[in-house]
Amino acid sequence: MEDRDSTVLHPPPNKLHQTTPERIEECKIELGPDGYGIDDHFSRLPDLCIINIFKHLERCEMKTLSMVNSRMFPFANEREFDSIKWERNYLLVYEDVNRYSFTIEGCEQKHDCDYKISRNEDGHFTETRECREHVQILHCSIPLNTPLKGTHHTKTLRTKTVPSSTSVMDYFFAALTELLRHRGLFYVTLRDISITKADNVEEGRIILAEFVRNIDAVGLYYGQNIINEYFIRTLAGGKVKDLSSDDPIDFGDMCRISVEKLEYFFHPDRSILPFLIGYEILEIPSLVLNHNWIADLAMMCIEFYGKKRTEKNVVWLKFSVDHLIRSEEMRNRINDVEFEYTEENGNHFIKKRSDGMKVKIWTEGYPVEGSIVHSIILRVFDENVVKMH
Amino acid sequence: MVLITLVSSDEQNFPVERELLKQSGTIETLIVNMNLDDEDTDAAAMPIPLPNVKGDVLEKVIQWMEHHKGDPVKEGDNEDNNAEIVVPQWDDDFFKPAMYGSKHLELTVAASYLDIKNLLTLSCKAISNTFKGKTGPQIREEWGVPNEFTPEEEEAIRKENEWSE
C-alpha cells in the first residue's frame, strides 16, 4: 500500500532471512525499502488480516500459501488454525519411498448414554439413547510389512495389520502429541508399534515413552522390544490403559500393558521399584522382578498408599518374578517393628501395625515357550475397609 | 436523520447516517465515548477523525455499509464455520475490480481497523478464494510477491509440510 502510515497497523515482518541482491535480480521484481516487492501489497497486510484470510483456507491451501514467502510462512503453524487443519478428522502422516507410512484417524464416539425404552401404540418397544457426552478417540495404525513404493495417501492403512519392522519416527510422535494436545483428545490407541530399527531402538523407545506420558490415556498394543526399564520409568506418572480389556473407560491412575504374546522380558535393577508405585492398576507381565525385592516393594506400597488412600481402597500390581517367593525369606526381609508378616493358604500378607494397610501377595505360574513364568500379584488394601482372604 | 461526519486521513469529510455506523465497532465506541448520541450533543459539530483510512477507501467502506444497512451485526469472535461462508454476488462484484491491487487490501485493512466484522469476513473470504487451486508460483505472480526462497529452502519447507498431507 502506498500509505506508509499503514505500518502503524503492520508489525515489522518477521522474515526468515533478508532478501539478498542476488535474489532481487533472480526474481526480477523491484523491492521497496521494507524488503517487499513494490507491488506486493499482500505481504504488507497486518497480521490480523492475514490470519483472517488463513481462516478461510483448508489445510492444503494453507500449506501452499505458507510457501509463497517468508511473511506467510509462520502463519500456517498458528495454533489458532488447528481446528481448521484437522477439521476433516483425518490426518495421514507418511514418508515415501522405502520409508514408512502412518495413519491417524480421529473420530467422535458417543459415550455415556441414557437409555429410554418406551412402548409404541402398536405395542412395539422402542429404545432411544440420549447421549450426555461425546468422546473423541484417535485411532492410529503404524502398519507396513514391506516398504511401499511412492507416496501413499490411502485410507486402507487404517486396518489393523500384523506387526512389522516399521520404525517409529520421532516426528510422527511429535505430530501426534501436538494433534492430541490441540484437539483436547485424551485417549489414543497405538497398535502394532514395533521399534526394531537396528541402529536406534533405544531412541525410538524413549521417544515413544515420552509421547505416551504426555497423553492422558493410551491403549498400547505393542510389538516387540518396546517395554524396558527406561520405558516404565518414563511412563511413571503417565497413564496407560489397555483397550483390549472390556473395562469401562475409567482413566484413573491406571497403567495396564497387555502382553498377548510374551515375547520379551526385561530384568530391571532394583532402582525401578519406586516407579512401579502410584497406579491403581499396573500390570506388566514382561517385567521380571527379583524375588528378594518383593518384601521391600510391599512395604513401599503400604507406605505410599497408606498416605494416599484410593477411592476403591484396593490397588492391583502384577509383574513377573524370577523365583517363587518363600515365607522364610519374606519374614526375614520385613521391618518387623512396623510390619507384621503372615502366611495363609499359600498367600503372603504384610500389614502395617499402626494403620491396618495390608498387602496380599501371591504367585501364579504359567508356561511360556516350554518354561514356567511366575507372575506375582500384590493387592494393597486397607484392612479396616476391605476384607480380603 | 442524524448524520455523523467521518474525516479521512487526507482530510476529506464524509457525513454518514448514524444508523450505518453501528456496523463499525471502532466508530460505535467513539460515538459512545464522545456522547454523540446524547440529545444535548451537536453531533454534526464533532467530526470523527479516522487517521488510518484514506478518503477513497473510506468512500468504499461507506458504500459497502450502505448496501448492508440493516444486516445483523456480529458480536464477539467469529464462530462461523469459515468453510461455509459464501461471498454474495453483490459483494463479489464489489470486491472484484480491485482484487489484486492495493485498493482491495486497503479496504480489508480498513475493515479490520474499523472493526466491521462482516466486511472483514467477506473481504478475507474473497481474497482466500483467489488461492483455491493455485500453486505458490501462481499466487506470487498474481499478487506480485517476489520469491525469496532458494530452491533448497523451498524443498525444506515442502518436506516440513509433507507429514500433514
Side-chain angles (χ1 to χ4, degrees), chain A residues 240-270:
Chain A
V240 178
K241 180 178 179 293
D242 171 23
L243 255 194
S244 64
S245 73
D246 294 327
D247 292 347
I249 295 175
D250 172 9
F251 301 128
D253 288 337
M254 186 177 287
C255 175
R256 180 183 290 170
I257 299 169
S258 71
V259 180
E260 291 169 2
K261 288 195 296 180
L262 287 172
E263 294 173 330
Y264 179 73
F265 289 93
F266 65 97
H267 299 256
D269 68 31
R270 194 182 179 288

Side-chain angles (χ1 to χ4, degrees), chain B residues 118-135:
Chain B
N118 287 339
L119 174 58
L120 181 63
T121 299
L122 292 176
S123 174
C124 289
K125 178 69 178 176
I127 293 172
S128 74
N129 284 344
T130 68
F131 302 136
K132 303 276 180 193
K134 303 279 173 61
T135 62

Side-chain angles (χ1 to χ4, degrees), chain A residues 279-314:
Chain A
Y279 302 96
E280 282 184 13
I281 301 173
L282 177 62
E283 292 185 8
I284 315 175
S286 59
L287 174 68
V288 184
L289 299 180
N290 185 312
H291 65 286
N292 290 323
W293 306 340
I294 303 304
D296 287 345
L297 179 62
M299 288 186 287
M300 289 163 71
C301 285
I302 287 174
E303 292 289 1
F304 180 86
Y305 293 108
K307 290 174 187 162
K308 185 188 172 187
R309 306 281 166 139
T310 66
E311 202 172 297
K312 295 174 183 172
N313 293 303
V314 177

Side-chain angles (χ1 to χ4, degrees), chain B residues 68 70-74 118:
Chain B
H68 287 273
D71 284 4
V73 179
K74 286 182 187 171
N118 287 339

Side-chain angles (χ1 to χ4, degrees), chain A residues 115-293:
Chain A
Y115 294 86
K116 290 178 184 171
I117 298 175
S118 56
R119 195 167 192 172
N120 298 335
E121 289 176 359
D122 60 4
H124 289 93
F125 287 96
T126 305
E127 180 192 286
T128 56
R129 295 183 185 189
E130 191 176 304
C131 184
R132 287 194 295 268
E133 187 182 355
H134 288 263
V135 177
Q136 283 192 309
I137 295 182
L138 197 83
H139 296 289
C140 144
S141 297
I142 306 179
L144 293 197
N145 295 315
T146 53
L148 298 177
K149 303 289 183 191
T151 302
H152 299 272
H153 300 267
T154 170
K155 293 184 180 182
T156 57
L157 297 179
R158 282 168 52 191
T159 55
K160 184 180 177 184
T161 59
V162 296
S164 69
S165 58
T166 303
S167 170
V168 177
M169 310 299 286
D170 57 350
Y171 72 79
F172 163 75
F173 287 112
L176 188 55
T177 308
E178 284 297 292
L179 180 65
L180 290 165
R181 187 179 298 137
H182 294 325
R183 299 206 61 183
L185 292 174
F186 59 91
Y187 197 95
V188 63
T189 306
L190 300 176
R191 291 175 189 274
D192 304 334
I193 291 180
S194 179
I195 303 174
T196 54
K197 193 176 175 186
D199 57 340
N200 215 358
V201 173
E202 196 55 37
E203 188 185 337
R205 183 181 288 127
I206 290 167
I207 290 163
L208 177 62
E210 292 288 354
F211 161 72
V212 167
R213 72 177 305 194
N214 285 322
I215 306 303
D216 282 347
V218 177
L220 181 62
Y221 298 76
Y222 72 95
Q224 50 187 316
N225 296 351
I226 285 182
I227 300 171
N228 72 349
E229 181 180 352
Y230 183 84
F231 184 84
I232 296 299
R233 285 184 179 187
T234 308
L235 215 58
K239 296 158 192 169
V240 178
K241 180 178 179 293
D242 171 23
L243 255 194
S244 64
S245 73
D246 294 327
D247 292 347
I249 295 175
D250 172 9
F251 301 128
D253 288 337
M254 186 177 287
C255 175
R256 180 183 290 170
I257 299 169
S258 71
V259 180
E260 291 169 2
K261 288 195 296 180
L262 287 172
E263 294 173 330
Y264 179 73
F265 289 93
F266 65 97
H267 299 256
D269 68 31
R270 194 182 179 288
S271 63
I272 199 172
L273 295 185
F275 297 97
L276 303 178
I277 297 171
Y279 302 96
E280 282 184 13
I281 301 173
L282 177 62
E283 292 185 8
I284 315 175
S286 59
L287 174 68
V288 184
L289 299 180
N290 185 312
H291 65 286
N292 290 323
W293 306 340

Side-chain angles (χ1 to χ4, degrees), chain A residues 1 23 63 68 70 92, chain B residues 106 140 148 150 163 165:
Chain A
M1 265 150 274
R23 285 185 184 147
K63 188 193 73 177
V68 164
S70 58
L92 286 175
Chain B
E106 284 181 296
R140 285 193 202 107
E148 337 169 290
T150 63
W163 66 268
E165 288 265 343

